Amino acid sequence: MRANAKLTDFIFKYGSLIVIGLVILFFSLWDEHFFTYDNLASILRSISITAFVAIGVTFSLSVDGFDLSVGSTVSMVIAFSTALMVWYEMPLAVVIIGSLAIGAAVGLVNSLLIVRIRIPDLLATLAIMYVVSGLQQIFTKGNSIYSNMIMPDGSSAPGTISPAFLWLGQGELLGVPVPVALMIVAFVLVFVFFTYTRMGRQMEMTGGNEEAARLSGVRVRRIRTTAYVLSGLFAAVGGLLFAARTGSGQSGAGAPILMEAVAAVFVGYSVLGAGRPNIIGTFFGAVLIGVLLNGLTMMNVPYYSNDFIKGGVLVLALAITFIHLNRRKA
Amino acid sequence: MDNRPSRLRLSGIAKSFSGVPALHGVDLELAGGEIHALLGANGAGKSTLIKILSGAYASDRGVIELDGAAVRIDSPKAAKELGIHCVYQEVDTALVPGLSVAENIMLDRHSAAGAGFWVDWKSLHLEAAETLRRLGADIPLHKRAGELTLAEKQLVLIARLLTEQARFVVLDEPTAPLSLEEAERLFRVMEALRAEGIGIVFITHRLPEVFRLCSRVTVMRDGRRIWTKPAAETNADDVALAMLGRRFEDEYPKLDADIGEMLLEVSGLRSGSRVKGVDLNVRSGEITAVVGLVGAGKTELSRAIFGADASSGGEVRVAGKPVRTAQPADAVRGGIALVPEERRRQGIIASDTVLRNLTLPTLGKLLRGGLLSRRREQRSADSLIARLGIKTSGYGQSVSTLSGGNQQKVSIGKWIPTDASVYLFDEPTKGVDIGAKRDIFQVIGTLAQQGKAVLYLTCEFQEAIGIADRILVMYDGAIVREFGRGEASQEELLIHASGGRGGTS
């Protein structure tokens, strides 16, 4: 019994790190191209999109909330940013600022429903997920957006996706892919936010016990609102990077990212035994998901089994975390 | 059923819990058509006794006789079959919120064996209506139970037990959560039950109710029956003396402090249904106690001053300046700190560490160049741990693993480095061992010496007498009496806290 408890403790603390190591080792042995700079850079590139969305999910979970609408925010931003360039030939600054504003607005609406009207977070963001994804489909009439696309009236669209925009998703900075550089900067900033700022601490304390935090003088409504706005903002960044990487705006492209991001954050719960949302864990969670999906593709596992794999990883991560948390409570 | 009044007699009832005696051979007699008050302080053994009577506990020794014949009550079902029912304080658990009033009243009858497959809606409503009419209670039959007020829920439960040929009913502090008007309605229902020949055991902390309704009074203390007397032959002083027993010795030393300028002024404060226009003030260096029984509105008062609950009128001033009480953060900025009653749920973030709990209200002071300084946080936490004597393996320990007393010290300690000038303590010694209690009184005394204003809300009268410079007695949402230090005895406080001697009843 005792040895058993020690073992589960060990698994909880280091299990996910060991799994990441084993997965990388396995794919490296399976395919010599896996552990090459180009492939690793490509994996990190695809991780970066999930990672930004997962950072957003980390914020909402850190205040003991949940945001299901991030996937549809990604889709919305993909459609919006590409359409601004292709249909309206807007300058890059407008595209980026507008996209971030959309993310923040979705977060504000979520927090209005959750914090003010007090709809349970899962239900409120489930509804908003459909509202936002519906708006995206209305906005694009279900079409994908690409440079000089053919419009419904037969003419071609005036604009193209600007090269500067594409650089965000495809370019390199001192040999490091731009989205990967951005991701690293984001993780460092968010780590500092949670570890060394008053607001970050207040978010975690609000998540730990909202009533006690409130009675300690924390303005919990403001804190929770901020968390949802940040969630929307980071999802918007994820959408921008997605559009920049693919160079087109595919309708509904963000939907699968919700699941990847949520799985990444919950894998992160167990990293080093944190037992709660934490930004370092989120990073490793995103790495695990990214490596798995990339490696399986290399093994010719068909893309349509991705959902099954992501779901399985999430179930495993949740099981490990909750077995541990419930035992600690008992 | 025949019309002879029933007689229920408990004799020599004893009960221990894991070796600790809760009842030492208690006698109690009850007649049909009587309302019998069962009184005693917290821990006197009232609850244990009625749980034995209603079959929730088995007694270790003793006999229960019904109409002269010994009976066995080994389960709540057995008690009900003998016609003995109990309405506990938690009325919600006994009702099905989604069902109508009529369905709830007829619930036991219609879920009983032999009730048949089909529901006869017509007779169900007729019977339910007839039952409510007998009680003189007016509740819409079709309303869902979940939408009822607490007082109405009590009446539905009482109506339900009428449908089951109840002969004896225990009402466990039914009036504690009620307003005076609601209580008045309950009294009429109790009188209707009495008129039907049902015997009622009435547990309450409000003495005027006892002398208004009851024919006999039994007082318990420390697991024993002190006496049973006809209500006409006793009075509030007599009852209070019997409930409290020996006089209290001053075991908590009071630290001397200089009392200075006015710091906290509360005027006309109203909030919810439990704070009905409270005026009070506390000076620098002064410890003012607010005493009252459970349900008097003390917790609600402290929450309203702190902005934890919305107030519907009145004003709070600290050092002459009005303080917004829209939310706790405003009160904290205004210089008020609250140590709440329910420490685990409200006072601490149990899943987090001692350090992070202790520094939460003062994060703004622990910044260095805009970022939290780990070193400053550790220094602050270390000094609080030392000052309060928190027993912990270090500031990284999770608060959930501390003892109750040490958790309370964390809940108090986090406010000490703030700029608060007014400290509200709501039952700070609840569930705390003697050693921690002494430390907590020490901290409160030191705060007063430093010129803070302390408002100490408690239902432990001897604590108030020991620690306070002034004692305010709260009853039914208002301050009904004020005593200076040394002016009040425990008996005196209890009588006023029970609404006696010209309380607001």
Side-chain angles (χ1 to χ4, degrees):
Chain A
M1 196 61 219
R2 246 198 121 73
N4 217 337
K6 267 191 185 156
L7 184 70
T8 55
D9 256 355
F10 183 82
I11 291 176
F12 183 66
K13 267 196 164 159
Y14 303 106
S16 38
L17 293 180
I18 292 170
V19 169
I20 293 173
L22 288 178
V23 166
I24 291 177
L25 188 69
F26 174 79
F27 288 132
S28 309
L29 296 176
W30 181 273
D31 187 325
E32 64 208 60
H33 299 301
F34 182 84
F35 208 83
T36 58
Y37 181 81
D38 280 351
N39 190 50
L40 291 184
S42 146
I43 292 178
L44 282 172
R45 231 183 253 275
S46 64
I47 287 173
S48 64
I49 295 162
T50 306
F52 271 97
V53 180
I55 290 174
V57 173
T58 309
F59 280 112
S60 59
L61 280 169
S62 78
V63 295
D64 197 24
F66 210 102
D67 187 353
L68 286 173
S69 68
V70 288
S72 60
T73 304
V74 170
S75 300
M76 184 64 176
V77 166
I78 292 171
F80 175 81
S81 58
T82 49
L84 275 196
M85 288 179 281
V86 173
W87 296 353
Y88 306 110
E89 299 174 274
M90 288 286 172
L92 190 59
V94 174
V95 171
I96 290 177
I97 291 168
S99 299
L100 296 179
I102 284 180
V106 175
L108 265 182
V109 172
N110 280 330
S111 59
L112 177 78
L113 298 178
I114 295 164
V115 179
R116 296 277 162 178
I117 305 181
R118 300 206 207 160
I119 302 174
D121 43 23
L122 279 172
L123 300 177
T125 56
L126 179 71
I128 290 302
M129 170 176 115
Y130 278 94
V131 169
V132 172
S133 119
L135 279 174
Q136 178 254 309
Q137 290 170 40
I138 293 170
F139 176 62
T140 60
K141 303 192 177 66
N143 295 316
S144 293
I145 297 161
Y146 45 91
S147 293
N148 303 117
M149 64 187 281
I150 308 296
M151 300 300 277
D153 61 4
S155 65
S156 52
T160 56
I161 311 274
S162 85
F165 184 76
L166 293 176
W167 177 80
L168 283 176
Q170 302 168 4
E172 285 191 1
L173 242 173
L174 307 170
V176 181
V178 174
V180 176
L182 289 175
M183 172 184 79
I184 290 167
V185 169
F187 271 113
V188 169
L189 286 180
V190 175
F191 176 80
V192 168
F193 175 80
F194 276 119
T195 318
Y196 293 109
T197 72
R198 184 170 174 222
M199 183 172 250
R201 176 71 60 80
Q202 289 183 334
M203 271 188 194
E204 292 185 341
M205 299 307 261
T206 302
N209 181 340
E210 184 182 343
E211 180 65 0
R214 189 174 82 98
L215 293 181
S216 297
V218 176
R219 295 179 188 273
V220 290
R221 285 200 201 176
R222 188 182 293 175
I223 292 290
R224 293 174 68 203
T225 301
T226 309
Y228 283 105
V229 169
L230 285 169
S231 171
L233 269 175
F234 275 88
V237 176
L240 283 170
L241 294 182
F242 194 110
R245 181 165 178 242
T246 55
S248 65
Q250 209 190 328
S251 182
I257 294 182
L258 165 67
M259 202 50 191
E260 290 171 30
V262 169
V265 178
F266 278 105
V267 167
Y269 269 48
S270 63
V271 169
L272 299 177
R276 60 168 123 194
N278 68 98
I279 195 66
I280 294 177
T282 296
F283 172 76
F284 284 109
V287 168
L288 178 66
I289 303 282
V291 167
L292 261 183
L293 293 180
N294 177 280
L296 293 170
T297 309
M298 288 182 81
M299 286 174 72
N300 292 322
V301 173
Y303 71 91
Y304 47 74
S305 49
N306 278 357
D307 275 357
F308 174 78
I309 289 153
K310 286 183 242 171
V313 171
L314 181 57
V315 168
L316 259 178
L318 288 173
I320 292 176
T321 301
F322 281 91
I323 287 172
H324 184 82
L325 288 183
N326 291 330
R327 219 166 42 88
R328 196 157 65 181
K329 244 184 262 161
Chain B
M1 276 179 63
D2 61 276
N3 285 327
R4 234 163 0 105
S6 320
R7 272 176 307 114
L8 183 66
R9 186 191 186 105
L10 288 75
S11 33
I13 303 290
K15 175 76 180 169
S16 298
F17 291 104
S18 46
V20 182
L23 294 177
H24 314 258
V26 174
D27 302 335
L28 184 69
E29 287 149 48
L30 191 60
E34 150 184 72
I35 302 180
H36 191 132
L38 182 59
L39 307 177
N42 293 338
K46 306 180 304 264
S47 306
T48 311
L49 185 66
I50 62 163
K51 280 184 174 158
I52 287 171
L53 179 59
S54 62
Y57 292 158
S59 63
D60 298 340
R61 278 187 290 114
V63 183
I64 301 177
E65 288 167 282
L66 187 59
D67 295 334
V71 292
R72 262 175 73 87
I73 301 178
D74 49 11
S75 70
K77 190 162 166 279
K80 284 183 187 175
E81 281 165 7
L82 294 168
I84 300 168
H85 291 258
C86 189
V87 178
Y88 292 108
Q89 277 175 295
E90 304 82 30
V91 291
D92 285 299
T93 54
L95 291 173
V96 183
L99 294 184
S100 71
V101 166
E103 287 169 293
N104 267 292
I105 290 175
M106 306 304 290
L107 189 66
D108 286 14
R109 189 89 79 75
H110 281 264
S111 55
F117 182 73
W118 302 106
V119 177
D120 181 352
W121 290 100
K122 200 171 160 196
S123 77
L124 183 142
H125 279 101
L126 278 175
E127 274 189 69
E130 166 64 15
T131 310
L132 283 178
R133 200 194 51 73
R134 270 160 74 194
L135 289 175
D138 182 26
I139 306 174
L141 281 177
H142 291 279
K143 209 166 173 182
R144 291 199 309 159
E147 294 164 4
L148 299 177
T149 65
L150 206 137
E152 290 173 324
K153 287 176 183 168
Q154 284 180 344
L155 297 185
V156 169
L157 282 181
I158 293 172
R160 181 196 292 175
L161 55 91
L162 258 192
T163 67
E164 300 175 75
Q165 321 299 334
R167 300 166 74 187
F168 294 96
V169 175
V170 180
L171 300 176
D172 184 10
E173 282 196 54
T175 53
L178 301 186
S179 70
L180 288 178
E181 303 81 64
E182 289 171 329
E184 203 57 45
R185 180 154 67 142
L186 178 68
F187 298 155
R188 287 198 298 276
V189 167
M190 287 167 64
E191 282 160 355
L193 291 176
R194 175 169 63 190
E196 301 225 354
I198 293 175
I200 300 174
V201 178
F202 179 43
I203 298 177
T204 180
H205 280 302
R206 300 184 184 177
L207 294 182
E209 298 174 351
V210 171
F211 293 105
R212 183 179 145 188
L213 285 168
C214 300
S215 44
R216 281 197 291 173
V217 179
T218 292
V219 180
M220 291 181 67
R221 182 178 76 231
D222 299 331
R224 292 187 172 83
R225 181 179 71 163
I226 303 304
W227 46 248
T228 298
K229 292 180 184 176
E233 291 172 22
T234 180
N235 57 44
D237 294 271
D238 193 23
V239 168
L241 192 67
M243 278 170 65
L244 298 167
R246 74 217 172 287
R247 291 183 167 271
F248 166 80
E249 287 97 328
D250 193 359
E251 63 178 292
Y252 303 107
K254 175 158 170 52
L255 303 177
D256 290 324
D258 296 326
I259 293 177
E261 80 278 18
M262 193 66 79
L263 276 185
L264 173 68
E265 293 163 89
V266 175
S267 49
L269 191 65
R270 302 182 152 270
S271 167
S273 59
R274 295 285 188 86
V275 181
K276 304 174 180 174
V278 169
D279 299 292
L280 61 81
N281 51 62
V282 188
R283 292 177 173 275
S284 155
E286 186 183 38
I287 301 175
T288 299
V290 174
V291 300
L293 299 171
V294 174
K298 299 185 303 295
T299 294
E300 293 80 359
L301 172 62
S302 68
R303 288 176 62 88
I305 295 173
F306 191 61
D309 292 334
S311 46
S312 48
E315 195 188 33
V316 175
R317 286 169 173 267
V318 172
K321 274 190 259 148
V323 172
R324 270 167 58 90
T325 53
Q327 57 175 326
D330 297 327
V332 171
R333 180 175 291 179
I336 305 176
L338 167 70
V339 177
E341 179 181 13
E342 290 198 41
R343 133 185 98 232
R344 267 192 96 80
R345 220 163 52 74
Q346 305 174 330
I348 53 167
I349 291 147
S351 58
D352 224 305
T353 64
V354 172
L355 177 130
R356 284 157 56 108
N357 269 279
L358 283 173
T359 57
L360 181 57
T362 44
L363 289 174
K365 294 179 161 192
L366 302 168
L367 301 175
R368 198 174 184 143
L371 297 179
L372 288 173
S373 154
R374 186 148 296 200
R375 193 136 55 88
R376 287 189 185 194
E377 278 202 82
Q378 289 173 351
R379 225 183 291 147
S380 171
D382 277 336
S383 84
L384 289 172
I385 289 170
R387 175 160 171 195
L388 286 117
I390 300 172
K391 291 190 187 59
T392 163
S393 61
Y395 40 64
Q397 189 178 351
S398 164
V399 179
S400 61
T401 57
L402 298 180
S403 71
N406 284 302
Q407 289 181 349
Q408 185 68 300
K409 288 180 189 175
V410 171
S411 175
I412 295 171
K414 68 180 175 190
W415 292 114
I416 288 181
T418 63
D419 297 321
S421 49
V422 174
Y423 284 75
L424 315 174
F425 290 91
D426 188 10
E427 306 280 3
T429 59
K430 192 170 140 187
V432 159
D433 64 82
I434 304 270
K437 214 178 238 189
R438 197 156 296 234
D439 291 344
I440 289 169
F441 286 131
Q442 183 76 29
V443 170
I444 292 173
T446 311
L447 285 172
Q449 281 184 326
Q450 292 168 345
K452 313 288 189 186
V454 175
L455 191 66
Y456 189 93
L457 304 105
T458 183
C459 61
E460 304 283 345
F461 298 143
Q462 76 274 26
E463 288 185 1
I465 291 170
I467 196 176
D469 296 297
R470 221 147 38 92
I471 299 177
L472 310 174
V473 182
M474 193 164 183
Y475 173 73
D476 194 34
I479 304 293
V480 293
R481 186 69 203 263
E482 175 175 340
F483 293 99
R485 181 163 178 81
E487 280 178 18
S489 65
Q490 257 182 289
E491 292 81 1
E492 193 82 359
L493 292 178
L494 177 62
I495 289 166
H496 287 283
S498 316
R501 299 231 184 102
T504 61
S505 54

